[in-house]
Amino acid sequence: GINLIKNNLEKISEWKNMIELIPEFYLKNKMERTGIAGIFAASLELTKEGLVKVSQDKTFDKLMIKRS
């Protein structure tokens, strides 16, 4: 997940739904939750490093990500 986000930093200069970063493989094989978990964990690590920002307007709303 970390490499996926780092490789797409130029595409997330504006707020983007984290779901859009999940690789197609996970979606095709009904492993969307696994994909979400990987992207979410990676985004938390990259937020800690100061590379990205994560936002959610309200509980259970979309998780948004953008480059710092």
Side-chain angles (χ1 to χ4, degrees), residues 10-49:
E10 63 279 349
K11 294 179 183 176
I12 55 174
S13 59
E14 299 296 324
W15 289 110
K16 183 175 189 121
N17 189 339
M18 258 188 230
I19 300 290
E20 295 176 36
L21 297 175
I22 298 173
E24 195 66 31
F25 168 81
Y26 291 99
L27 301 174
K28 286 182 180 178
N29 292 297
K30 300 186 185 211
M31 297 172 33
E32 186 174 315
R33 289 184 183 184
T34 302
I36 291 170
I39 293 296
F40 181 66
S43 68
L44 293 177
E45 181 63 31
L46 294 174
T47 298
K48 190 169 90 174
E49 293 177 18

